[in-house]
Amino acid sequence: MKLILALGLALAVIACSEPPPPPKPVAKAAAPTPPPAPPKPEIKPEPPKPDPNKELAAKVKQALEAPETKLPSGAIDVTAADGRVSLWGAVATATQRSRAAQVASKVEGVKGVDNQLKVVRGS
């Protein structure tokens, strides 16, 4: 019996003295990678459309400020709506007032002129 006990003790010492073997790595099943998404077409915002009323008002303002009109350059404001142009501001004489309406009416695209210019002496 001592022999069996000695052999058991020897086996226990030998088993405890060796480090355990490293665990075997478990191969993970690789998840299939999804195919790359097709590139989305880039949506570009549409450029703003020019406002025809603003363009017409700018044309009339440019015509009124031309040197040959002999009108006060910054004294007349212009608005437009559907081809109808309104003139606002102050001029020195009735002749300048009627001349401004005449010049505005000759601009391409003008269907009518609403002359709201005021004659103010000394302006």
Side-chain angles (χ1 to χ4, degrees):
M1 176 103 154
K2 287 185 182 183
L3 182 61
I4 295 177
L5 192 55
L7 281 176
L9 186 59
L11 282 175
V13 170
I14 292 172
C16 288
S17 65
E18 293 181 22
K24 293 182 181 177
V26 178
K28 292 183 181 179
T33 57
K40 293 181 181 178
E42 187 175 323
I43 299 173
K44 295 182 181 179
E46 187 175 311
K49 295 181 180 172
D51 183 0
N53 291 322
K54 287 183 180 179
E55 288 181 346
L56 181 59
K59 282 185 199 176
V60 171
K61 181 80 171 167
Q62 186 177 16
L64 292 171
E65 291 177 346
E68 61 271 9
T69 62
K70 298 180 183 167
L71 294 170
S73 62
I76 302 172
D77 291 321
V78 182
T79 59
D82 300 322
R84 184 134 180 93
V85 175
S86 296
L87 306 177
W88 306 87
V91 291
T93 65
T95 304
Q96 286 181 336
R97 182 179 188 274
S98 62
R99 176 80 178 128
Q102 181 184 20
V103 169
S105 66
K106 291 182 179 179
V107 174
E108 183 182 343
V110 173
K111 297 175 183 172
V113 177
D114 179 21
N115 192 346
Q116 296 293 320
L117 292 173
K118 303 294 181 204
V119 177
V120 178
R121 302 282 181 228
S123 62

